[in-house]
Amino acid sequence: MTVKAYGAHAGDRPLESLDIARRAPGPHDVQIEIAFCGVCHSDLHQVRGEWAGTLYPCVPGHEIVGTVSAVGAHVSKHQVGDLVGVGCMVDSCQGCADCEAGLENYCDHMVGTYNGPTSDAPGHTLGGYSQQIVVHERYVLRVSHAREQLASVAPLLCAGITTWSPLRHWQAGPGKTVGIVGIGGLGHMGIKLARALGAHVVAFTTSESKRRDAELLGAHEVVVSTDPAAMAAQAKRLDLIVNTVAAPHDLDAYLNLLKRDGTMVLVGAPSTPHPSPQVFNLIMKRRALAGSMIGGIPETQEMLDFCAEHGIVADIEMIRADEINAAYERMLAGDVKYRFVIDSATLAE
């Protein structure tokens, strides 16, 4: 089936309207009519060739929500009419230790929702800036939010799970002090989720103008990271830091804020490396510097269910598909609160 999409033919060319092919559903496939797709910073890096290995034409998008329109003969988890989501992956080997543990995101053969290998034309996956997608049922998530919240649910499929996974793995909750660095697409979800989990939340921003916003999102404290006195006041206070910033910066400034045995987890992915931290900032307090990448299917479903139960969605700005190039420039300038979401109905126009 041919459907409308938005993508690019080269890293130095703007995104434009494309016609792409989608396979007919196989026995274990779910066909989804996409209602909304969130716009992730990763989309920009990938489509512009800033990360190695971009395959063109590139159709980005891995924060997908919509309605099931068809299912294969052996599909048991979903039925026509269900509200569902698809995140950052659409396949994996399904047999390794990572897959068996429900951590398909760490499978060596994980297939991304776009720019991953597939037997479908054109030989690599095409993402959610499109009218429709067909995905194996294992990688399709149930959405329990109200239909009118669907657009704001879309960013949970990347921004939500990217912050949820480290918060859960490092046991954020009552009695823990958690820092969230950066108040953007990822960071605003990190604040909401850490607060809902019961942690004491300290938000870090370079902008005094974001103080009130961070408080409204749920931060108990807000620190302007360019203020040396304010940063010094947080020294050795934090159990966990989730660092969402997708640009190179001084990690030592934040490592100093960790307690003994505290951990800073990097989830932002800059296009060039961070400066190396000082080893003594790690060894003197047995601190850890770690990384985390999205989450497995079971924990993504757990996150969606938790958010539905607690009324948590992303703060979004809706755009038309033909506004995506301008949205990318605004995203680079930090001019969005806090996630752009494409109204997929505009693809047909």
Side-chain angles (χ1 to χ4, degrees):
M1 178 182 291
T2 300
V3 301
K4 291 291 185 182
Y6 242 74
H9 288 286
D12 59 354
R13 292 176 60 179
L15 280 76
E16 60 187 80
S17 180
L18 305 174
D19 290 324
I20 64 170
R22 294 297 194 191
R23 70 177 184 266
H28 295 281
D29 284 338
V30 176
Q31 179 179 285
I32 303 164
E33 299 302 315
I34 299 174
F36 305 101
C37 184
V39 179
C40 178
H41 212 281
S42 302
D43 299 346
L44 184 154
H45 285 310
Q46 194 75 71
V47 79
R48 293 188 173 180
E50 295 172 354
W51 289 349
T54 301
L55 302 169
Y56 295 98
C58 179
V59 175
H62 57 206
E63 297 180 340
I64 300 166
V65 291
T67 304
V68 175
S69 56
V71 296
H74 299 306
V75 170
S76 59
K77 297 179 180 179
H78 308 283
Q79 58 186 4
V80 172
D82 285 353
L83 294 182
V84 295
V86 176
C88 301
M89 57 186 160
V90 294
D91 204 359
S92 62
C93 80
Q94 303 186 25
C96 68
D98 293 324
C99 288
E100 290 179 355
L103 294 169
E104 301 92 342
N105 51 312
Y106 296 118
C107 172
D108 290 339
H109 301 286
M110 185 268 281
V111 177
T113 304
Y114 62 91
N115 209 60
T118 180
S119 58
D120 299 346
H124 57 271
T125 51
L126 303 172
Y129 295 9
S130 58
Q131 293 175 307
Q132 185 193 94
I133 194 167
V134 178
V135 180
H136 188 287
E137 67 171 328
R138 175 174 178 150
Y139 307 92
V140 178
L141 289 307
R142 180 183 66 256
V143 173
S144 301
H145 289 75
R147 185 175 291 272
E148 55 267 25
Q149 294 180 300
L150 199 55
S152 300
V153 170
L156 302 183
L157 276 303
C158 178
I161 186 57
T162 295
T163 49
W164 173 265
S165 185
L167 289 169
R168 291 288 282 163
H169 183 75
W170 277 275
Q171 301 178 337
K176 297 289 184 70
T177 301
V178 175
I180 304 294
V181 181
I183 306 173
L186 293 177
H188 94 285
M189 288 307 311
I191 293 171
K192 290 186 179 191
L193 292 170
R195 177 67 182 251
L197 285 166
H200 182 87
V201 183
V202 184
F204 294 86
T205 176
T206 58
S207 175
E208 176 65 39
S209 64
K210 287 191 175 182
R211 180 182 297 276
R212 182 58 179 158
D213 288 348
E215 292 170 345
L216 291 172
L217 289 166
H220 296 91
E221 301 177 57
V222 182
V223 176
V224 178
S225 58
T226 54
D227 181 343
M231 290 291 282
Q234 297 292 327
K236 295 180 283 189
R237 286 196 62 215
L238 305 178
D239 298 285
L240 173 67
I241 297 173
V242 179
N243 189 330
T244 73
V245 176
H249 61 280
D250 177 19
L251 300 180
D252 285 310
Y254 296 100
L255 289 171
N256 288 332
L257 310 185
L258 292 170
K259 296 177 181 177
R260 172 179 50 81
D261 291 327
T263 299
M264 179 160 70
V265 187
L266 304 181
V267 296
S271 56
T272 57
H274 295 293
S276 296
Q278 294 293 321
V279 172
F280 281 100
N281 277 338
L282 298 172
I283 65 176
M284 295 302 289
K285 291 293 181 182
R286 201 164 59 187
R287 295 166 173 143
L289 179 62
S292 180
M293 184 182 74
I294 54 173
I297 294 300
E299 63 182 342
T300 305
Q301 189 64 65
E302 176 190 61
M303 177 273 304
L304 284 172
D305 294 344
F306 179 90
C307 288
E309 180 182 350
H310 290 83
I312 297 171
V313 293
D315 290 13
I316 68 166
E317 179 179 336
M318 192 87 76
I319 61 169
R320 296 170 46 87
D322 59 10
E323 295 174 319
I324 185 62
N325 292 299
Y328 275 9
E329 296 306 316
R330 287 182 55 195
M331 187 165 58
L332 283 173
D335 179 24
V336 55
K337 291 184 178 179
Y338 285 96
R339 204 67 152 184
F340 288 118
V341 171
I342 297 170
D343 180 354
S344 302
T346 64
L347 286 161
E349 301 170 10

